[in-house]
Amino acid sequence: MSKKIVIGITGSIAAFKAVQLISDLIKKDFHVEVMMSESATKFINPICIQSLTKRKVYVDTFDDENPAIITHIDIVKDADLFAVIPASAHTIAKLANGFADNMLTSAFLAATCTKLIAPAMNVHMYKNSLTQRNIQLLKEHHVLFVEPISGLLACGDIGKGKLADEEDLLEMIQYALTPKILKNKNILISAGPTQESIDPVRYITNHSSGKMGYALAKAAFCLGANVTLVSGPTHLKVPYSVHFHPITTASQMYHTIMPLAPTQDIIIMSAAVADYSCEEIADEKIKKSENYIHLQLNKNKDILFELGKIKKENQILCGFAMETNNLIQNAFEKLKKKNCDMIVANHLKTQGAGFQGDTNIVSIITHKDIKEYGLQSKESLAYEILNLLINMEE
Ligand code: PMT
């Protein structure tokens, strides 16, 4: 059954952004009900929302169609999430103080589900200690917040007050809806390619987009883990709530990960780390006057192998394997040689698996067994991997 999200829209220029968000939530198969404050209707017409949700948009508390049903109580009874996006300073103040003076605030007060607020307002209104006090009060009552971002605001001021990006809103909605099976767990994930310079303009790299690693980081966050993401250069947006360490080379990745390793409960090496780097990086661009050039490549440290050497009792180490032949046999050898608990072996030669795409096909190898996972999104595979890892701990 699809999850039910009640979205409350309040009076803000950012109200128009809620339209796209609602459309995307419906495409993701959520059951979306919408309530608007009176002032939100000055920014967008409820009909616009109604044509997306195909349901009535509620504004007036007394606009109950059926006298047997009290809408503001009834609608939130089976809701999985109540999200106020965007939330004005005025509505935040009302919600913090338990006001119930319109459909949205009454339903919020009546709701017992998880609640999420994404503020949007002028920077000075946001920074005002009264607003901050109201936000703090709501946080103390277990309301989740998606922080506004900095930028040029509608009023012309520059500062923090813009509604968070849709990607972050979707991530926090997912977080709010996901059971916290990884609560209190520290998880380190490596992602993306590394780049090994040849000269100031050229480098050696591979085709990793980072999608698999970032999907793991987002899923681990949604499951409640304290996530550290060490990533090579990618075009992906940094997930909302991870400790992010950008690196470029395999050596930088090694030096970033090793000191962090002892405090991790789970480490997943999904990065495609370069096995070799240049002995010397030319100071100037190498001229193409010769027919060929020699590059002296030296072997990089195998980070997974080094992590296996210092693995603590109760720590779980998961590597990936990318092989173009004898995948399972080679993956098994990696499992043993690198002292891992799990290897996720990509079926690189099958369409829909491996680099770049949004999907993957893998065999997951442990010391106990091999499990096959057919074509699925990297996002859902990330949840499968994390579920297996957490079950290993028990
Ligand atoms: O980023 P995407 O486009 O989404 O693609 C995902 C992926 C295919 C890159 C990913 O799923 C993947 O397979 N990553 C590991 C790629 C790799 O380097 O495989 P490998 O078989 O060469 O290495 C085995 C393991 O050792 C890996 O966990 C790797 O991170 C680790 N390793 C490798 C070399 C090295 N110097 N240090 C390491 O730690």
Side-chain angles (χ1 to χ4, degrees):
M1 211 176 70
S2 56
K3 299 246 180 187
K4 179 174 174 181
I5 303 177
V6 179
I7 302 272
I9 306 175
T10 72
S12 156
I13 180 68
F16 78 94
K17 293 185 185 169
V19 179
Q20 185 61 50
L21 178 74
I22 289 164
S23 165
D24 290 336
L25 287 172
I26 290 166
K27 282 187 204 135
K28 285 177 179 279
D29 214 25
F30 286 107
H31 166 175
V32 182
E33 297 279 356
V34 178
M35 300 184 160
M36 295 172 75
S37 70
E38 187 67 41
S39 35
T41 65
K42 306 264 196 292
F43 290 91
I44 47 169
N45 193 313
I47 294 171
C48 171
I49 309 277
Q50 231 157 261
S51 28
L52 290 172
T53 61
K54 314 281 185 282
R55 298 172 200 276
K56 183 178 165 67
V57 170
Y58 301 95
V59 179
D60 179 1
T61 326
F62 301 103
D63 188 17
D64 285 330
E65 277 170 341
N66 178 352
I69 294 173
I70 300 168
T71 307
H72 67 272
I73 306 289
D74 193 68
I75 207 159
V76 290
K77 258 187 193 150
D78 59 348
D80 296 288
L81 176 68
F82 195 129
V84 187
I85 304 174
S88 64
H90 184 57
T91 293
I92 289 174
K94 288 199 281 185
L95 298 178
N97 290 286
F99 280 44
D101 64 340
N102 62 24
M103 183 65 101
L104 191 159
T105 51
S106 306
F108 191 91
L109 197 61
T112 53
C113 59
T114 308
K115 293 169 185 169
L116 177 81
I117 291 180
M121 63 193 74
N122 168 272
V123 54
H124 303 297
M125 291 169 81
Y126 182 68
K127 279 190 176 163
N128 191 301
S129 56
L130 293 172
T131 303
Q132 288 305 315
R133 183 200 61 190
N134 291 332
I135 290 174
Q136 189 51 37
L137 199 56
L138 284 159
K139 283 184 180 171
E140 282 162 20
H141 286 77
H142 310 293
V143 175
L144 300 168
F145 273 79
V146 194
E147 293 229 334
I149 49 179
S150 292
L152 177 63
L153 305 173
C155 55
D157 280 348
I158 294 175
K160 198 169 176 179
K162 279 168 88 76
L163 182 67
D165 287 341
E166 183 172 320
E167 231 177 296
D168 290 339
L169 293 170
L170 287 171
E171 196 179 319
M172 277 304 286
I173 287 172
Q174 190 61 46
Y175 172 84
L177 292 168
T178 310
K180 300 289 169 277
I181 60 166
L182 292 179
K183 196 169 175 220
N184 298 329
K185 297 285 175 203
N186 291 333
I187 300 197
L188 186 148
I189 294 160
S190 72
T194 60
Q195 291 176 353
E196 310 300 330
S197 287
I198 297 171
D199 66 18
V201 296
R202 304 179 180 100
Y203 53 79
I204 300 167
T205 189
N206 58 64
H207 298 293
S208 173
S209 63
K211 285 182 181 172
M212 190 66 244
Y214 279 55
L216 281 161
K218 282 185 194 175
F221 164 67
C222 289
L223 290 165
N226 177 28
V227 182
T228 300
L229 176 62
V230 181
S231 173
T234 77
H235 295 292
L236 304 176
K237 187 173 181 314
V238 178
Y240 179 65
S241 208
V242 300
H243 306 285
F244 185 64
H245 296 266
I247 56 88
T248 304
T249 65
S251 163
Q252 287 167 0
M253 185 171 272
Y254 170 80
H255 289 290
T256 305
I257 289 179
M258 293 314 282
L260 296 169
T263 54
Q264 305 302 318
D265 297 295
I266 299 174
I267 301 177
I268 307 176
M269 284 295 296
S270 69
V273 189
D275 289 317
Y276 294 90
S277 54
C278 290
E279 158 93 4
E280 267 180 49
I281 301 169
D283 288 337
E284 307 297 338
K285 185 182 170 201
I286 300 170
K287 295 305 250 179
K288 57 173 185 287
S289 48
E290 305 293 335
N291 282 341
Y292 54 85
I293 56 166
H294 286 288
L295 292 176
Q296 166 80 39
L297 298 178
N298 292 341
K299 203 165 182 187
N300 289 328
K301 278 237 162 67
D302 186 323
I303 305 169
L304 188 58
F305 180 75
E306 297 299 324
L307 288 169
K309 285 203 288 197
I310 58 160
K311 186 160 78 109
K312 296 179 305 169
E313 213 188 322
N314 297 330
Q315 190 177 55
I316 292 185
L317 189 55
C318 169
F320 271 67
M322 200 168 40
E323 299 285 346
T324 48
N325 58 12
N326 294 335
L327 176 67
I328 302 299
Q329 192 192 328
N330 284 324
F332 248 122
E333 272 160 28
K334 278 180 186 154
L335 182 79
K336 284 187 270 167
K337 188 174 147 215
K338 302 193 184 192
N339 192 21
C340 291
D341 301 286
M342 184 189 281
I343 292 282
V344 181
N346 302 279
H347 288 255
L348 266 197
K349 287 191 166 167
T350 315
Q351 201 175 1
F355 288 130
Q356 303 272 335
D358 293 325
T359 57
N360 210 352
I361 302 165
V362 300
S363 302
I364 297 187
I365 298 156
T366 63
H367 292 283
K368 267 207 300 208
D369 59 12
I370 302 182
K371 290 190 171 71
E372 301 297 338
Y373 292 82
L375 185 74
Q376 61 181 308
S377 67
K378 285 181 176 168
E379 187 184 333
S380 77
L381 179 60
Y383 280 96
E384 302 266 19
I385 294 169
L386 291 165
N387 267 307
L388 287 176
L389 289 171
I390 196 73
N391 284 330
M392 283 185 128
E393 270 204 323
E394 286 156 5

